[in-house]
Amino acid sequence: IVSTYPGEGKSTVSKNFASLLASLGTKTLLMDCDLRNPGLSQGVAPRAEAGLLEVFLDGRSMSSVLVREPDSGLVMVPTVLRQGISHTSEILASPSMKKMLSAASEHFEYIIIDLPPLAPVVDVRAFANQLDAFLMVVEWGKTPRQTVRAAIANDRRFADKCLGILINKVDPKKQKTYEENYQKEYQNSKYIYQADE
C-alpha cells in the first residue's frame, strides 16, 4: 500500500485492511517497510525492540521479531529505528528481502506491506518488482490528480500492478455538495436518454 506524499493515510489503511483480513480468519502478515519513517510501527507496536532492520542487519530470524495482535490474529513485522539509514532502497531491493517475502508467503495467505510514499524517495521503485500489486492511497481534496496520474504513468510497473486508488480523508459535507451538483448537472444534461412511452 503506497501513497504519493507523506500524511495521506496509507499506514492507517494498511493496518485496517490487514486487521480486517486477519479477523476474517486468513493468515495475514503486515510489514512496515517505510524504513525512513515507520509510523505504522510507532502506532501499532511502540514497545517493539527489534524488527525488519534487525533481520537484515543483525541476522535475526523473522519469527523472533513478529508482533501479534490478539483481537484479530494479525501478525506484524515492525521497523524499529535507532538511527537514520541512508541505503533503504538497497535493503528493500535486496535478495535477502526477496528471500524473506518468499519464505513468508509459504506461511501467510496475505502479506500487506506499508510502503514509503512515492514522491520523496526511490524506495518503492526499487522494491516494485518484488510485489504482486499496489493499492494507492490518495488524500481527497489535497493531492493533485495530475501528480497521481504521473506517478502511475511514469512507471509501467505501477500502471500494470495498480489495483486501484483509495480516496482517503473524505470530507462528507463537501462530498455531499459535489454529489448534489453532479446530480443537477446530470438531470439537466441534454444527453439523458428518454425511453418512449
Side-chain angles (χ1 to χ4, degrees):
I1 299 195
V2 70
S3 62
T4 305
Y5 297 115
E8 294 191 77
K10 67 175 178 57
S11 297
T12 302
V13 170
S14 299
K15 164 60 173 71
N16 290 342
F17 182 48
S19 290
L20 174 64
L21 289 171
S23 68
L24 294 173
T26 61
K27 293 179 181 177
T28 304
L29 176 67
L30 175 62
M31 297 177 69
D32 189 347
C33 287
D34 190 342
L35 304 182
R36 296 171 191 264
N37 183 22
L40 174 65
S41 296
Q42 293 162 5
V44 176
R47 291 188 292 280
E49 296 180 6
L52 189 63
L53 293 173
E54 285 70 25
V55 172
F56 285 105
L57 304 177
D58 300 339
R60 291 189 58 168
S61 67
M62 189 174 82
S63 60
S64 71
V65 301
L66 296 177
V67 176
R68 296 186 188 277
E69 183 177 60
D71 295 342
S72 69
L74 175 66
V75 178
M76 179 184 176
V77 176
T79 291
V80 178
L81 274 189
R82 289 176 179 41
Q83 61 186 24
I85 296 176
S86 59
H87 58 287
T88 55
S89 61
E90 293 173 21
I91 292 173
L92 292 175
S94 70
S96 297
M97 182 58 142
K98 187 173 185 177
K99 185 177 176 183
M100 180 187 213
L101 287 174
S102 178
S105 68
E106 294 178 10
H107 300 286
F108 295 96
E109 296 171 74
Y110 294 97
I111 301 172
I112 307 300
I113 301 175
D114 182 41
L115 294 163
L118 284 168
V121 292
V122 299
D123 294 10
V124 178
R125 287 175 182 80
F127 195 34
N129 289 334
Q130 298 190 43
L131 302 172
D132 295 327
F134 294 91
L135 177 64
M136 182 171 269
V137 176
V138 174
E139 185 172 350
W140 185 77
K142 188 171 181 183
T143 306
R145 291 179 188 179
Q146 306 90 302
T147 305
V148 176
R149 283 189 191 114
I152 294 172
N154 289 342
D155 192 324
R156 189 73 222 164
R157 294 170 301 174
F158 288 107
D160 292 342
K161 294 183 177 187
C162 186
L163 294 176
I165 295 174
L166 187 143
I167 308 296
N168 198 28
K169 300 183 182 181
V170 174
D171 183 334
K173 291 178 184 176
K174 289 183 180 178
Q175 181 187 20
K176 187 176 179 183
T177 303
Y178 281 115
E179 288 173 356
E180 289 170 356
N181 289 337
Y182 176 77
Q183 282 181 335
K184 287 177 188 173
E185 287 177 28
Y186 180 76
Q187 289 170 350
N188 294 332
S189 172
K190 61 182 177 180
Y191 299 106
I192 294 179
Y193 172 75
Q194 307 241 340
D196 293 331
E197 295 186 350

